[in-house]
Amino acid sequence: MNNLIKTKKSLGQHFLNSNWVLSYILNSAEINPKDIVVEIGPGRGKLTKELSKLAGSVKCVELDQELLSYLNTTFPENSNVEIIYGDARTIDISSLVYSNEYKLVANLPYYAAMPIIMRFVESHNSPKSIVVMVQDEVARNLTALPGKLSIPAVILQNFGVVTYVKRIPPSAFKPSPKIFSAIIKIELFDSPAIDNENQQMFFNLIKKGFASKRKKLYNNITKSFDIEKTVFQNILTKYNIDKDSRAETLTFDNWKNLYLSMKTNGYHSNV
Ligand code: SAH
């Protein structure tokens, strides 16, 4: 029956077609019978079926209307799976789950992977952990070391520890994508390193620091903040950061210290 439903490329539909990949996802997610699992994009339910055997309950968010009736037949009302129609980039997470006591597991639609990940980590109801399949390039970007850090990689470290689990070949999916994929795991902190109230200003500092890739950090920062070059360089030196550093070389703790120092001294963004 499910073969009658047309595969929609525009919704990033690449269905899992490999048992060893399923095992990798399930093992990394460490699901136990007490767990509530949220799955984004259940598709034809291959991962969902395994999740339903291991977890207490599974709540799925799917944007393809056509798949809903199929999924509702496969997972009837008396099962431990609930199918919710919606867009995971904008869904009201508090209507799905009532606390942080849940795990997010998904083979994500790649076009929307970052907005979905950020929506969940930034939510007041963020999960305990996230195990997701994304494009390999995105996975490498998010788990890069200082020297190759990017804005999303630094921002994610405010919320948890990100690890690269496994590279996955195109043959694991049907239809096969053109690119490699990878499973990543994010273990969220009980509370973010920089609290909600300060997050927008903290992220703004990071974004401004990365503004022009070819420029040194002090150039990017002095362009956007009311701070003298020498004053900023003194702050860098105070935290043992080379005064000629570029943004991608700073560790998360470097960013955190810079932010706290600039805040204490009242330096404001002027753009
Ligand atoms: N989990 C399935 C399907 C993965 S493909 C499997 O592994 O086989 C990605 C799935 O995400 C598709 O079912 C697609 O319809 C769904 N999807 C795409 N965009 C979405 C969005 N914005 N919100 C929720 N689901 C989405």
Side-chain angles (χ1 to χ4, degrees):
M1 166 194 172
N2 61 14
N3 286 331
L4 294 174
I5 304 171
K6 210 167 165 264
T7 304
K8 298 177 187 67
K9 268 197 179 159
S10 62
L11 287 179
Q13 293 181 348
H14 296 282
F15 301 108
L16 266 172
N17 192 31
S18 155
N19 288 330
W20 71 264
V21 175
L22 272 180
S23 307
Y24 255 103
I25 296 175
L26 298 166
N27 288 339
S28 322
E30 298 177 282
I31 296 156
N32 64 61
K34 281 190 188 149
D35 284 334
I36 299 170
V37 173
V38 170
E39 188 195 3
I40 306 303
R44 292 173 183 171
K46 190 152 174 138
L47 176 59
T48 320
K49 199 170 276 175
E50 301 308 315
L51 290 170
S52 79
K53 289 180 202 162
L54 297 170
S57 64
V58 186
K59 301 188 181 227
C60 301
V61 181
E62 175 57 62
L63 187 57
D64 185 348
Q65 289 264 22
E66 266 191 283
L67 285 171
L68 285 192
S69 55
Y70 169 73
L71 286 163
N72 280 320
T73 318
T74 313
F75 304 104
E77 236 169 75
N78 61 4
S79 73
N80 64 350
V81 179
E82 189 186 343
I83 312 288
I84 297 131
Y85 171 71
D87 185 332
R89 289 169 297 179
T90 51
I91 196 152
D92 175 11
I93 295 171
S94 57
S95 71
L96 273 181
V97 281
Y98 310 110
S99 74
N100 298 49
E101 291 298 307
Y102 71 100
K103 294 175 177 171
L104 180 72
V105 183
N107 169 23
L108 287 175
Y110 296 167
Y111 79 95
M114 277 317 292
I116 293 172
I117 292 172
M118 292 318 293
R119 176 113 189 137
F120 277 83
V121 294
E122 289 182 343
S123 163
H124 290 293
N125 278 355
S126 56
K128 285 190 288 190
S129 66
I130 298 179
V131 171
V132 282
M133 181 90 74
V134 294
Q135 273 178 247
D136 188 50
E137 195 189 334
V138 172
R140 287 184 190 280
N141 191 13
L142 295 180
T143 54
L145 296 173
K148 293 196 165 178
L149 281 171
S150 60
I151 298 170
V154 179
I155 290 182
L156 260 191
Q157 288 185 43
N158 190 51
F159 300 98
V161 177
V162 192
T163 46
Y164 187 100
V165 176
K166 182 77 186 163
R167 187 172 192 240
I168 307 294
S171 58
F173 307 86
K174 209 174 171 178
S176 297
K178 290 199 176 72
I179 42 148
F180 272 74
S181 303
I183 302 165
I184 56 167
K185 180 167 187 174
I186 308 171
E187 285 164 283
L188 282 94
F189 305 134
D190 289 337
S191 49
I194 296 286
D195 61 21
N196 278 336
E197 206 181 307
N198 283 287
Q199 266 167 30
Q200 284 322 310
M201 282 190 297
F202 178 45
F203 297 164
N204 183 46
L205 174 73
I206 297 166
K207 286 173 192 163
K208 294 282 158 53
F210 275 92
S212 177
K213 264 210 121 185
R214 293 195 195 148
K215 289 193 178 144
K216 292 177 181 165
L217 180 63
Y218 70 75
N219 273 320
N220 284 332
I221 295 296
T222 51
K223 201 172 160 218
S224 302
F225 289 82
D226 284 324
I227 185 167
E228 298 277 332
K229 180 182 147 188
T230 48
V231 175
F232 182 71
Q233 287 188 323
N234 285 340
I235 300 179
L236 291 177
T237 312
K238 181 176 158 200
Y239 292 110
N240 292 323
I241 307 166
D242 184 334
K243 61 182 176 33
D244 288 324
S245 296
R246 287 173 207 280
E248 66 266 24
T249 63
L250 268 65
T251 64
F252 178 81
D253 282 342
N254 290 157
W255 284 111
K256 187 176 144 188
N257 287 332
L258 277 186
Y259 172 70
L260 295 174
S261 176
M262 289 185 64
K263 188 186 169 205
T264 310
N265 290 296
Y267 297 115
H268 290 292
S269 164
N270 56 19
V271 278

Coordinates of all heavy atoms in Angstrom, one line a residue, residues 75-103:
F75 N -0.2 2.5 12.8 CA -0.1 2.8 14.2 C -1.4 3.2 14.7 O -1.7 4.4 14.9 CB 1.0 3.8 14.6 CG 2.4 3.4 14.0 CD1 2.9 4.1 12.9 CD2 3.1 2.4 14.6 CE1 4.1 3.7 12.4 CE2 4.4 2.1 14.0 CZ 4.9 2.7 12.9
P76 N -2.4 2.3 15.0 CA -3.7 2.7 15.4 C -3.7 3.4 16.8 O -2.7 3.4 17.5 CB -4.5 1.4 15.4 CG -3.4 0.3 15.6 CD -2.2 0.9 15.0
E77 N -4.9 3.9 17.1 CA -5.1 4.7 18.3 C -4.6 4.0 19.6 O -4.2 4.6 20.5 CB -6.5 5.2 18.4 CG -6.6 6.7 18.6 CD -8.0 7.2 18.4 OE1 -8.8 7.0 19.4 OE2 -8.4 7.7 17.3
N78 N -4.8 2.7 19.6 CA -4.5 2.0 20.8 C -3.0 1.6 20.9 O -2.6 0.9 21.8 CB -5.4 0.7 21.0 CG -5.2 -0.3 19.8 OD1 -4.4 0.0 19.0 ND2 -6.0 -1.3 19.8
S79 N -2.2 2.0 19.9 CA -0.8 1.7 20.0 C -0.1 2.8 20.8 O -0.7 3.8 21.2 CB -0.2 1.7 18.6 OG -0.1 3.0 18.1
N80 N 1.2 2.7 21.0 CA 1.9 3.8 21.8 C 2.5 4.8 20.9 O 3.3 5.6 21.3 CB 3.0 3.1 22.7 CG 4.1 2.5 21.9 OD1 4.0 2.3 20.7 ND2 5.2 2.1 22.6
V81 N 2.0 4.9 19.7 CA 2.5 5.9 18.7 C 1.4 6.9 18.4 O 0.3 6.5 18.1 CB 3.0 5.2 17.4 CG1 3.5 6.3 16.4 CG2 4.1 4.2 17.7
E82 N 1.7 8.2 18.5 CA 0.8 9.2 18.1 C 1.4 10.0 16.9 O 2.5 10.4 16.9 CB 0.6 10.2 19.3 CG -0.5 11.1 19.1 CD -0.5 12.2 20.3 OE1 0.1 11.9 21.3 OE2 -1.1 13.2 20.1
I83 N 0.5 10.2 15.9 CA 1.0 10.9 14.7 C 0.4 12.3 14.7 O -0.8 12.4 14.7 CB 0.6 10.1 13.4 CG1 0.9 8.6 13.5 CG2 1.2 10.8 12.2 CD1 2.4 8.3 13.4
I84 N 1.2 13.3 14.6 CA 0.7 14.7 14.6 C 1.1 15.3 13.3 O 2.3 15.2 12.9 CB 1.4 15.4 15.8 CG1 0.9 14.8 17.1 CG2 1.0 16.9 15.8 CD1 2.0 14.5 18.1
Y85 N 0.2 16.0 12.7 CA 0.4 16.7 11.4 C 1.1 18.1 11.8 O 0.5 18.8 12.6 CB -0.8 16.9 10.6 CG -0.6 17.8 9.5 CD1 0.1 17.4 8.4 CD2 -1.2 19.1 9.5 CE1 0.3 18.3 7.3 CE2 -1.0 20.0 8.4 CZ -0.2 19.5 7.3 OH 0.0 20.4 6.3
G86 N 2.2 18.4 11.2 CA 2.8 19.7 11.4 C 4.1 19.9 10.8 O 4.7 18.9 10.3
D87 N 4.6 21.1 10.9 CA 5.9 21.5 10.4 C 6.9 21.6 11.6 O 6.7 22.5 12.5 CB 5.9 22.8 9.7 CG 7.2 23.2 9.0 OD1 8.2 22.7 9.5 OD2 7.1 23.9 8.0
A88 N 7.9 20.7 11.7 CA 8.8 20.7 12.9 C 9.6 21.9 13.0 O 10.2 22.2 14.1 CB 9.7 19.5 12.8
R89 N 9.7 22.8 12.0 CA 10.4 24.0 12.1 C 9.7 25.1 12.9 O 10.3 26.0 13.5 CB 10.7 24.6 10.7 CG 11.7 23.8 9.9 CD 11.7 24.3 8.5 NE 10.4 24.1 7.8 CZ 10.1 24.4 6.6 NH1 11.1 25.0 5.9 NH2 9.0 24.2 6.1
T90 N 8.4 24.9 13.0 CA 7.6 25.9 13.7 C 6.6 25.4 14.7 O 5.9 26.2 15.4 CB 6.7 26.7 12.6 OG1 6.0 25.7 11.8 CG2 7.6 27.5 11.7
I91 N 6.6 24.1 14.9 CA 5.6 23.5 15.8 C 5.8 24.0 17.2 O 6.9 24.3 17.7 CB 5.8 21.9 15.8 CG1 4.5 21.3 16.4 CG2 7.0 21.4 16.4 CD1 4.2 20.0 15.8
D92 N 4.7 24.1 17.9 CA 4.7 24.5 19.3 C 5.0 23.2 20.1 O 4.2 22.3 20.3 CB 3.3 25.0 19.7 CG 3.1 25.3 21.2 OD1 4.2 25.3 21.9 OD2 2.0 25.5 21.6
I93 N 6.3 23.2 20.6 CA 6.8 22.0 21.3 C 6.1 21.7 22.6 O 5.9 20.6 22.9 CB 8.3 22.1 21.5 CG1 9.0 22.2 20.1 CG2 8.9 21.0 22.3 CD1 10.5 22.6 20.1
S94 N 5.6 22.8 23.3 CA 4.9 22.5 24.5 C 3.6 21.8 24.3 O 3.0 21.3 25.2 CB 4.8 23.8 25.3 OG 4.1 24.8 24.5
S95 N 3.0 21.8 23.1 CA 1.8 21.1 22.8 C 2.1 19.6 22.6 O 1.2 18.8 22.6 CB 1.1 21.7 21.6 OG 1.7 21.4 20.4
L96 N 3.3 19.3 22.3 CA 3.7 17.9 22.1 C 4.1 17.2 23.3 O 3.7 16.1 23.6 CB 5.0 17.9 21.2 CG 5.0 18.0 19.7 CD1 6.4 17.9 19.2 CD2 4.2 16.8 19.1
V97 N 4.9 17.9 24.1 CA 5.5 17.3 25.4 C 5.4 18.3 26.5 O 5.5 19.5 26.2 CB 6.9 16.9 25.2 CG1 7.1 15.6 24.4 CG2 7.7 18.0 24.5
Y98 N 5.2 17.9 27.7 CA 4.9 18.8 28.8 C 6.2 19.1 29.6 O 6.2 19.9 30.5 CB 3.8 18.3 29.7 CG 2.6 17.9 28.8 CD1 2.3 16.5 28.7 CD2 1.9 18.8 28.1 CE1 1.2 16.2 27.8 CE2 0.8 18.5 27.3 CZ 0.5 17.2 27.2 OH -0.5 16.8 26.4
S99 N 7.3 18.4 29.4 CA 8.5 18.6 30.2 C 9.7 18.3 29.3 O 9.5 17.9 28.1 CB 8.5 17.8 31.4 OG 8.7 16.4 31.1
N100 N 10.9 18.4 29.9 CA 12.1 18.1 29.2 C 12.4 16.6 29.2 O 13.4 16.2 28.7 CB 13.3 18.8 29.9 CG 13.1 20.3 29.8 OD1 12.1 20.8 30.1 ND2 14.1 21.0 29.3
E101 N 11.5 15.8 29.8 CA 11.8 14.4 29.9 C 11.4 13.6 28.6 O 10.5 12.8 28.6 CB 11.0 13.8 31.1 CG 11.5 14.3 32.4 CD 12.9 13.9 32.7 OE1 13.2 12.7 32.6 OE2 13.7 14.8 33.0
Y102 N 12.1 13.9 27.6 CA 11.9 13.2 26.3 C 13.2 13.2 25.5 O 14.1 14.0 25.8 CB 10.7 13.7 25.5 CG 11.0 15.1 24.9 CD1 11.3 15.1 23.5 CD2 10.9 16.3 25.6 CE1 11.6 16.4 22.9 CE2 11.2 17.5 25.0 CZ 11.5 17.5 23.7 OH 11.7 18.7 23.1
K103 N 13.2 12.3 24.5 CA 14.4 12.2 23.6 C 13.9 12.4 22.2 O 12.8 12.0 21.8 CB 15.0 10.8 23.7 CG 15.7 10.5 25.1 CD 16.2 9.1 25.2 CE 16.9 9.0 26.6 NZ 17.2 7.6 26.9

